[in-house]
Amino acid sequence: MAIHKSSTRSTVILLAIVIVLASAAPSILRAFADEPGAGTIQISTTGAGPREVEETTQKAIERQYTAAWKNMTAALKDNRADLLDAAFVGSMRDQLARRIEQQKKSGTSTRYADGAHQVNVVFYSPEGTALELRDTTEIEQQTLDGSKVIHSEKVRQQYLVIFTLVEDRWKVRIMQALPTS
Amino acid sequence: MKILGLFLAIILTFASAAFAQDLQVPQNAVAGEGASISTSGSGSATFYLTGPGTSLKRDFKRGETISLSADDLAYAGRYTAALDGGGAQSFFVTAAKPAKLNFMARPSRVPVAHPDVISGVVFVLDRNDNLITTPTTVNFQLGIAGSAPTTRPLQSKNGIAWIKAGSGNREGAAQFTASVGDISAKRVVQQVASDPCNLRMKAQADGKNIQLQTEPIKDCSGNAVPDGTIVTFSESAGGRGRSTVDARVKHGVARATLPSVPGATLTVASGVVLGNEIRWSGGQ
Amino acid sequence: MRLGSIVMIVLLLVLIGAGTVQTKSLHISANTPETALQSFFAQVKAKHWDDAFAMVQPGSGVEKESFIKDLGGNNESLKTISALQDVKTKILRESGNESDLRADLQWSTAVGALHESRDFKLVNDEGQWKIVWTPPAKNDGPPKPLPTTYLRWDVVQRGSSRDEWGVQNVEPPRMRIISMNAIEYQGGVTILGEVVNEDTVPGFVTINAILLDKDGNSIAEESSFDKISHTLLPKEISPFRVDFANRKLADVKSVRISPTNILVPAAADPVVGVFNQRIEKDPNGKSILRGELVTQGGQTVNIPHVLATFYDQSGKVIWVSDGYVDKALLPQQAVPFAVDLRDDLAGQVQNYRITVNYYNSNRS
């Protein structure tokens, strides 16, 4: 088996860096979490239409979107699909549940730490049962195999989120990451 | 602590960039279609793929191509491919072509001749319920049997197209259709009679009683109000008391029997609409 | 022989016991007309109909069956599920062997206390005060069923419980609050108003009201409970009243009213006419709105519920009161009703409107 010397050296160095980073990852995540505004969600309704967003609806969406991120983070970290029902419905719930099921099988998990969210309501249906928002946020994402961090990255991400009114409660039905232009 | 965090993040970015060369992720992946990731190097490794609805873990030999099935990439969004020895690449999967229209038409019942009372909202989705965010032309069509339907093409924005329309003058089941290419979704909006218009009654003596009957009750567009609608007949005789009957429309008219009190005033109303008034002479 | 003795002793004891009971029931304390009437209602309260009827002066038209129906109710009326709670008697006139008395009766029912005031004549019959029973007025001829072919609405629900986003469902009927008024009454706040079903299908409506303070915070939340006609047919108007106890109007900045309405199955029958409506004073000087209820169809109404809306000169709703009728409505037979009117408002009332709600044992 022929292995180049330089390749071996760089692999060893990079592995060392990865190990250092893996051990420091919790501190990094805490540092991000400690940033002012981390995880906070403020919703702007400027430009929303065709229906004007009622104050109570705006508050409800803020509350539910905060809950959605919190529940999704906990569900993907602990592989618990039962945490999804409070904030997700339909294909989005199925999508997350499927991912959790696969994570369980492979013994992996995902950790998210979301920063401040800049959210704009872009559509509120005339009859008031569906609402679409565009969210721009920075997220720290870690893929873990057991307790070993396989990959960690921080990205600025934009989401299109559709909320629908389900039995008097707003729930996330679609949450789709958009390609960065 | 923050400086340390930043420092480590920079190192990680450089390290990932170095390893990223090991993975060639798809550039134009489409949801529900298979794709492949080519790898370089040698030796065995473990491959991880995380994305919407997906969390894969596979052992493979470096240098081989990793095949991803249509089911692995069912959902649109951001996917990250990573190797256990380090190295990761992210890529986006976009929604496929339109396959479903989620059409919310409201209301299911609407009074005739009212402007902007019908709304239709279409969410353009692919077969895996991914929102198609590229602008798509949605054709809305609204019409009632026996009259030409009105059609309006509208562009979707952020996956949504919507329309507001007025109800027609004739009662009946209006067909409300939304279509994109050969995919369509149909809803029915029942156009119902509006408030009664020109409500009139006549009175006839019947022994000790008065028989009251309305003329056929119609709205201002000439549609008959539905049976079961409440029509209130009142008889007021000043200090001699009053009588009322909340009658129901049956076969287009409402009837009631009230005691005959000469000199009484008879009135008729339905909801907030008032009808004519009769001064009862006692049937003479 | 020994067995025969035991049987004789047991028989003797039974007969003595029976004799004691019989004596007790016949020799009820009836020394005065007032105690006689009290004793009579003690038997009614215990539903000892035979003993109560034994205190009635025999006479023409006095039948035990109609007597029991009169006091205990029939046709699944409210009276049949009521219990006599309290009786207050008062002598109106007394002369030798005859006395006129008034009994104020309080019945406890599932819908709250029911008050009834009845006048009685008592006569002294050989040392015993007996009640001269006035049989209830008989309607002309026996009640006969009349066929009706009114409309009925049924709601067909979707069988599937899975999430059906975008699938068209039938909406609840459009209800509109057409008037609303907040007043202070008896140390509390009362919200009054009217709601109309503007739709072409029936609906079940409940009015929920939230009192808000100057900062927009909720102070209290209540619903209309039974001070509303819940099932509204197309174009039907119902009054509503929501009571908040121990609240001050000065603390209330605004009121948030939210009608909850759902599509329900309903029938357009029965039609109840409200005849001979008038406001008058009762024997105690209280203002009362009286009238008679007559079903115009062929259906029996078990428990009628009368709602009265009172308006001032400007047409504003100033009070809503209600009352249950303890008798069932048989087809085309008039049954009297009475609804309280606040005495302090009697002078302001320029107009009123009566709606009849009902509860039937077979109502779906």
Side-chain angles (χ1 to χ4, degrees):
Chain A
M1 189 183 280
I3 304 169
H4 293 289
K5 242 182 180 179
S6 58
S7 168
T8 312
R9 196 167 54 235
S10 61
T11 307
V12 170
I13 292 167
L14 284 169
L15 271 174
I17 292 168
V18 167
I19 291 163
V20 168
L21 283 174
S23 59
S27 308
I28 299 169
L29 285 175
R30 262 199 306 279
F32 282 122
D34 290 342
E35 277 179 19
T40 56
I41 292 173
Q42 281 189 331
I43 292 181
S44 164
T45 58
T46 313
R51 184 183 172 120
E52 197 178 322
V53 182
E54 304 90 0
E55 200 185 320
T56 48
T57 304
Q58 187 181 342
K59 281 183 183 167
I61 292 290
E62 265 172 14
R63 194 171 54 241
Q64 281 298 92
Y65 195 43
T66 305
W69 270 96
K70 195 178 154 196
N71 292 4
M72 182 175 73
T73 302
L76 290 172
K77 180 172 144 284
D78 300 330
N79 287 335
R80 285 183 55 192
D82 61 299
L83 297 175
L84 301 171
D85 293 325
F88 297 94
V89 71
S91 68
M92 188 59 205
R93 196 227 165 266
D94 296 346
Q95 201 184 101
L96 287 169
R98 193 176 96 143
R99 182 169 168 182
I100 288 167
E101 194 57 38
Q102 291 184 4
Q103 285 190 166
K104 268 189 195 170
K105 276 185 190 160
S106 59
T108 58
S109 61
T110 314
R111 275 189 197 157
Y112 278 111
D114 56 319
H117 295 257
Q118 288 179 317
V119 182
N120 287 304
V121 179
V122 292
F123 176 80
Y124 185 29
S125 66
E127 82 297 340
T129 60
L131 187 142
E132 186 181 49
L133 47 89
R134 190 182 276 267
D135 174 19
T136 307
T137 183
E138 276 199 3
I139 52 166
E140 175 82 18
Q141 184 189 329
Q142 283 189 338
T143 307
L144 291 96
D145 190 343
S147 57
K148 182 183 166 191
V149 178
I150 301 300
H151 174 65
S152 184
E153 64 177 340
K154 188 178 183 183
V155 288
R156 191 170 175 77
Q157 185 60 59
Q158 207 171 66
Y159 292 93
L160 260 188
V161 184
I162 290 177
F163 272 92
T164 58
L165 203 53
V166 182
E167 290 164 357
D168 297 334
R169 182 173 281 209
W170 288 100
K171 290 191 179 181
V172 176
R173 191 172 282 278
I174 290 175
M175 188 171 170
Q176 209 164 292
L178 296 176
T180 41
S181 52
Chain B
M1 181 58 84
K2 279 182 192 172
I3 294 167
L4 176 68
L6 188 66
F7 175 70
L8 290 172
I10 292 165
I11 292 174
L12 180 66
T13 308
F14 279 112
S16 298
F19 277 120
Q21 309 305 319
D22 290 348
L23 292 165
Q24 289 289 322
V25 293
Q27 295 302 305
N28 299 304
V30 176
E33 292 178 13
S36 57
I37 295 174
S38 54
T39 64
S40 60
S42 59
S44 56
T46 308
F47 167 77
Y48 297 89
L49 180 74
T50 54
T54 298
S55 180
L56 295 183
K57 180 186 171 186
R58 266 188 221 164
D59 291 328
F60 78 107
K61 286 197 168 57
R62 286 178 185 271
E64 287 180 351
T65 297
I66 300 165
S67 292
L68 300 174
S69 69
D71 197 42
D72 294 336
L73 302 177
Y75 299 109
R78 188 173 189 274
Y79 287 71
T80 302
L83 304 178
D84 63 343
Q89 278 274 44
S90 292
F91 61 97
F92 276 91
V93 170
T94 55
K97 62 176 186 174
K100 272 188 210 171
L101 298 179
N102 204 317
F103 186 21
M104 300 199 308
R106 297 284 188 279
S108 58
R109 284 180 317 281
V110 68
V112 297
H114 278 59
D116 288 344
V117 282
I118 301 169
S119 73
V121 178
V122 167
F123 297 82
V124 187
L125 306 168
D126 70 6
R127 65 184 169 145
N128 290 322
D129 288 336
N130 297 301
L131 195 65
I132 297 168
T133 52
T134 48
T136 309
T137 303
V138 179
N139 287 299
F140 289 97
Q141 197 175 67
L142 179 65
I144 195 161
S147 58
T150 51
T151 305
R152 266 179 75 186
L154 291 164
Q155 285 274 299
S156 69
K157 192 180 170 190
N158 296 319
I160 301 170
W162 65 277
I163 189 173
K164 269 196 137 186
S167 58
N169 285 333
R170 280 179 45 211
E171 64 178 340
Q175 304 290 321
F176 195 13
T177 310
S179 59
V180 171
D182 56 355
I183 308 154
S184 67
K186 194 178 279 185
R187 301 285 181 263
V188 173
V189 176
Q190 192 70 32
Q191 296 191 156
V192 295
S194 198
D195 283 334
C197 197
N198 197 20
L199 180 62
R200 295 195 66 80
M201 64 166 171
K202 54 192 176 192
Q204 200 175 358
D206 180 18
K208 291 178 184 174
N209 295 323
I210 314 169
Q211 295 293 342
L212 295 166
Q213 184 179 322
T214 63
E215 289 174 5
I217 306 173
K218 293 182 176 177
D219 68 7
C220 294
S221 303
N223 301 294
V225 302
D227 278 5
T229 302
I230 294 279
V231 173
T232 304
F233 293 99
S234 302
E235 178 188 48
S236 182
R240 288 171 294 164
R242 72 164 73 169
S243 298
T244 52
V245 174
D246 281 343
R248 279 71 165 151
V249 173
K250 191 179 169 187
H251 300 312
V253 297
R255 295 180 183 86
T257 306
L258 288 171
S260 175
V261 182
T265 305
L266 304 167
T267 55
V268 64
S270 182
V272 293
V273 177
L274 298 176
N276 66 322
E277 200 174 281
I278 295 172
R279 189 93 175 156
W280 182 245
S281 59
Q284 302 305 311
Chain C
M1 187 66 184
R2 196 176 164 196
L3 184 68
S5 306
I6 293 168
V7 170
M8 286 298 285
I9 289 165
V10 170
L11 192 64
L12 188 67
L13 285 171
V14 169
L15 285 171
I16 290 167
T20 310
V21 172
Q22 185 68 6
T23 308
K24 191 183 170 192
S25 62
L26 284 176
H27 294 278
I28 41 179
S29 170
N31 297 330
T32 65
E34 211 164 358
T35 52
L37 196 60
Q38 285 285 358
S39 301
F40 171 77
F41 278 112
Q43 301 301 335
V44 171
K45 191 174 180 176
K47 298 195 190 293
H48 292 161
W49 302 118
D50 287 346
D51 295 339
F53 192 65
M55 297 184 71
V56 170
Q57 177 79 352
S60 64
V62 181
E63 292 163 8
K64 193 159 89 179
E65 196 188 346
S66 66
F67 165 82
I68 295 169
K69 279 181 182 171
D70 189 13
L71 282 168
N74 62 342
N75 292 310
E76 296 178 67
S77 68
L78 187 59
K79 211 44 148 336
T80 60
I81 49 169
S82 304
L84 183 59
Q85 200 67 30
D86 191 31
V87 183
K88 285 190 173 64
T89 54
K90 192 168 85 175
I91 295 172
L92 299 175
R93 190 186 64 86
E94 208 170 8
S95 63
N97 286 339
E98 281 190 11
S99 274
D100 290 340
L101 286 94
R102 175 164 298 151
D104 286 317
L105 312 170
Q106 188 181 311
W107 301 82
S108 67
T109 77
V111 291
L114 206 66
H115 298 275
E116 187 183 5
S117 185
R118 279 179 89 149
D119 290 350
F120 293 93
K121 181 188 272 293
L122 279 84
V123 292
N124 197 323
D125 184 12
E126 296 176 356
Q128 289 288 319
W129 285 96
K130 295 265 187 182
I131 292 145
V132 179
W133 192 258
T134 315
K138 278 195 175 175
N139 289 284
D140 298 337
K144 45 182 185 281
L146 300 173
T148 50
T149 51
Y150 273 113
L151 186 67
R152 185 185 160 78
W153 294 263
D154 280 313
V155 181
V156 181
Q157 301 285 4
R158 266 178 206 287
S160 170
S161 59
R162 58 185 278 271
D163 176 51
E164 293 174 314
W165 182 38
V167 171
Q168 192 177 29
N169 256 322
V170 72
E171 280 98 16
R174 281 174 290 113
M175 302 274 183
R176 185 164 66 94
I177 290 170
I178 50 176
S179 66
M180 197 192 90
N181 185 17
I183 60 163
E184 211 166 61
Y185 179 60
Q186 287 186 338
V189 171
T190 295
I191 311 297
L192 309 159
E194 287 179 301
V195 59
V196 63
N197 178 0
E198 292 192 311
D199 218 314
T200 51
V201 289
F204 183 93
V205 65
T206 298
I207 303 290
N208 304 302
I210 302 172
L211 302 183
L212 303 171
D213 66 11
K214 60 180 168 44
D215 300 320
N217 299 318
S218 164
I219 308 172
E221 188 172 348
E222 285 290 348
S223 82
S224 50
F225 191 52
D226 67 343
K227 301 288 185 285
I228 188 170
S229 184
H230 286 290
T231 303
L232 294 185
L233 298 182
K235 306 291 181 280
E236 189 168 7
I237 298 173
S238 171
F240 65 83
R241 190 178 111 194
V242 186
D243 296 318
F244 294 88
N246 305 317
R247 297 286 165 193
K248 285 197 173 93
L249 204 52
D251 298 335
V252 179
K253 171 76 177 166
S254 63
V255 182
R256 188 182 296 150
I257 296 271
S258 52
T260 308
N261 49 310
I262 52 170
L263 185 69
V264 288
D269 211 25
V271 177
V272 180
V274 189
F275 296 164
N276 201 16
Q277 305 163 25
R278 73 272 180 200
I279 293 173
E280 55 187 39
K281 299 278 183 189
D282 75 356
N284 299 319
K286 258 195 75 57
S287 298
I288 301 281
L289 173 56
R290 290 186 194 279
E292 287 164 0
L293 304 179
V294 181
T295 54
Q296 301 217 324
Q299 201 176 329
T300 297
V301 174
N302 299 119
I303 304 175
H305 178 212
V306 177
L307 284 153
T309 319
F310 299 96
Y311 307 87
D312 69 3
Q313 203 165 13
S314 63
K316 192 166 73 177
V317 178
I318 54 171
W319 191 241
V320 172
S321 63
D322 73 322
Y324 287 87
V325 179
D326 63 0
K327 288 185 178 61
L329 303 184
L330 298 179
Q332 304 198 344
Q333 293 190 1
V335 170
F337 73 89
V339 178
D340 288 343
L341 166 61
R342 278 171 52 190
D343 286 316
D344 57 323
L345 290 180
Q348 291 176 48
V349 172
Q350 287 297 310
N351 199 0
Y352 56 86
R353 196 172 68 84
I354 294 172
T355 45
V356 184
N357 187 21
Y358 64 93
Y359 301 92
N360 269 4
S361 54
N362 61 349
R363 187 175 181 180
S364 58

